[in-house]
Amino acid sequence: MRIVQIVTLVSRRGVFGGPTTVALAQLRELRRIGHDVVLLGLRDGADDADEVEGVPVQLFRDYQVVPAAGLLGRLHPRLLAALWRAVARADVVHVHVGRDLVSLSALLICRVRRRPYVTQTHGMVMPRESLVARLFDVALRPLLRGARYRFVLTDSEAEGLGQVVPGAPTTRLANGVLVPVGPARSIDAPPMVTFLARLHPRKRVGTFLDVATELAARGVVARFCVYGPDEGDLPQLRRGIQRLATLTPPVYVSYGGALSHEAAVEALADSDVYVLPSVNEPFPMTVLEALAQATPSIFVDTCGLAPLLPNRRGAVITDGSVEQLTSAVAVLVADPAQWAEASLDARSAVTEQFSVGAVADTLLAAYDDALSARLTARSSLATAFSFGSWRRPGDG
């Protein structure tokens, strides 16, 4: 099967991490089992590679065609031409949809080319009151209705998308990750506690610094590292790092900058505990990837993963307060035997529910259905317009 997927941005700095990570994981697995795949989108650097993480790509430098509109206003004319050609050759198209010009263009081309398509919104098309969002929704609404499947992650996303596109049913699809096979790990001394996310206020890197401070006050000896591209909170992080270094005893926090996806996975694998204090996180791929690397992870109960990972040793759910986050880290690093049990449970949690193989099976069933529906429609149309169907009664 010839499968085209479209994502807004492939960033070596992890700026558009979640949807891109999901698309690459899906296509890598689909290619492994024998399908012809390609990913199209924008790129935010000079790297013009024709393959990313084992996935064939066609990526074009992002241009800000709508001033002061951020990611939603970026496009490249050569991407439009590439989409026009790729969609024409595709058996099915899978668009990772946000409110942006790339998504809108891809969906319009699918409709004009009359190719079957499915969508996956990753929590990016939820009810918004801004004028820009409402204008985008006017254009997106009929295009989303035209999708054979509208994939969502959670019940809350299904409800939100239902408000944007009333009457359009949705289908649940988990984010899948590759679960590596490897020997059991042991905790380092001192342990590495990691924050890896965009430095945006919603991600709460300041809370991570407060956790580091409180752990030191409790006498917990650990190393702390922050990774992620700046989206407003880097100055706060730098001030916090300087302040912590002046404490007695000092608390040392390092900043490793923005990472590519491959480097981010390596950083998670090298960590002993992953902490994601962000609130209302739809479905964080970093948590799944940390768990897949057998790294116990701590996150907040408003995260979309929380109801799917109850009562796990390796996936610790908190209320997001400094007190609970600190206590969760302290419990994990206090006892190597307890940490080892949590590490094994982390990988088991992903293997049981979020393996990329299971996700690929679900996708292929949807793709087959979309393709079959198109072929059936074409056959019916051909029959309706055949000479025999238009003969007058009594014609020989």
Side-chain angles (χ1 to χ4, degrees):
M1 185 182 296
R2 292 168 306 209
I3 301 164
V4 171
Q5 288 203 14
I6 298 149
V7 71
T8 301
L9 180 68
V10 177
S11 170
R12 290 290 187 179
R13 300 182 298 114
V15 173
F16 198 66
T20 303
T21 300
V22 170
L24 289 170
Q26 291 173 353
L27 292 175
R28 194 163 48 243
E29 178 66 11
L30 291 166
R31 188 186 193 193
R32 186 189 68 81
I33 59 180
H35 296 279
D36 182 2
V37 306
V38 66
L39 178 67
L40 281 80
L42 298 173
R43 54 179 169 83
D44 62 357
D47 183 6
D48 59 353
D50 56 7
E51 192 169 287
V52 174
E53 297 184 27
V55 174
V57 297
Q58 295 181 35
L59 305 176
F60 302 88
R61 186 68 180 265
D62 62 327
Y63 283 103
Q64 195 73 49
V65 298
V66 180
L71 186 60
L72 67 84
R74 297 180 188 175
L75 198 58
H76 194 293
R78 287 180 57 205
L79 174 59
L80 296 177
L83 286 170
W84 184 259
R85 294 189 298 268
V87 167
R89 294 192 295 265
D91 291 315
V92 67
V93 181
H94 183 150
V95 187
H96 299 268
V97 178
R99 289 185 176 97
D100 58 71
L101 293 180
V102 173
S103 299
L104 186 61
S105 301
L107 293 172
L108 280 169
I109 288 172
C110 288
R111 288 292 292 269
V112 171
R113 285 293 203 179
R114 296 184 179 180
R115 283 297 185 269
Y117 62 95
V118 304
T119 63
Q120 190 170 356
T121 43
H122 303 276
M124 297 187 293
V125 186
M126 301 292 277
R128 297 286 186 272
E129 293 302 320
S130 70
L131 177 60
V132 172
R134 292 201 301 269
L135 289 174
F136 258 101
D137 290 347
V138 170
L140 280 177
R141 198 167 286 121
L143 297 172
L144 285 167
R145 282 203 181 98
R148 184 68 177 179
Y149 288 85
R150 286 158 292 274
F151 291 120
V152 296
L153 286 165
T154 62
D155 290 342
S156 60
E157 185 185 359
E159 181 181 351
L161 187 61
Q163 295 177 39
V164 177
V165 191
T170 58
T171 301
R172 303 296 186 277
L173 181 70
N175 287 342
V177 294
L178 178 65
V179 182
V181 177
R185 296 172 54 198
S186 59
I187 190 170
D188 289 336
M192 173 65 80
V193 182
T194 297
F195 172 102
L196 195 157
R198 294 177 293 115
L199 300 182
H200 183 279
R202 185 169 65 83
K203 304 294 184 176
R204 301 173 70 208
V205 71
T207 300
F208 180 79
L209 297 179
D210 292 340
V211 169
T213 305
E214 182 61 26
L215 285 167
R218 295 187 187 187
V220 176
V221 178
R223 297 168 293 155
F224 303 93
C225 193
V226 173
Y227 299 99
D230 180 30
E231 293 196 8
D233 274 1
L234 182 56
Q236 175 194 8
L237 172 64
R238 294 197 186 281
R239 289 193 299 269
I241 290 174
Q242 293 174 355
R243 175 180 58 82
L244 292 178
T246 65
L247 298 179
T248 305
V251 181
Y252 295 111
V253 180
S254 62
Y255 173 53
L259 300 179
S260 67
H261 178 243
E262 302 99 312
V265 172
E266 290 179 7
L268 292 171
D270 291 338
S271 303
D272 296 295
V273 179
Y274 174 51
V275 179
L276 183 66
S278 60
V279 295
N280 299 321
E281 195 71 38
F283 210 90
M285 282 300 293
T286 52
V287 170
L288 292 184
E289 291 179 317
L291 296 175
Q293 299 299 324
T295 300
S297 301
I298 301 166
F299 50 98
V300 179
D301 54 13
T302 58
C303 168
L305 284 172
L308 304 177
L309 294 168
N311 306 315
R312 308 293 311 214
R313 288 176 178 267
V316 184
I317 302 168
T318 73
D319 64 2
S321 66
V322 172
E323 173 65 26
Q324 284 202 10
L325 290 166
T326 303
S327 297
V329 175
V331 167
L332 282 171
V333 303
D335 182 356
Q338 188 162 325
W339 180 92
E341 291 181 3
S343 177
L344 289 173
D345 179 73
R347 183 165 287 175
S348 296
V350 174
T351 303
E352 292 166 9
Q353 300 184 60
F354 304 107
S355 70
V356 71
V359 172
D361 290 342
T362 302
L363 282 177
L364 285 174
Y367 293 166
D368 283 335
D369 178 65
L371 182 57
S372 297
R374 174 176 179 263
L375 294 175
T376 299
R378 289 180 63 182
S379 177
S380 299
L381 188 65
T383 301
F385 282 90
S386 67
F387 176 76
S389 300
W390 291 90
R391 287 182 300 181
R392 293 174 297 178
D395 286 348

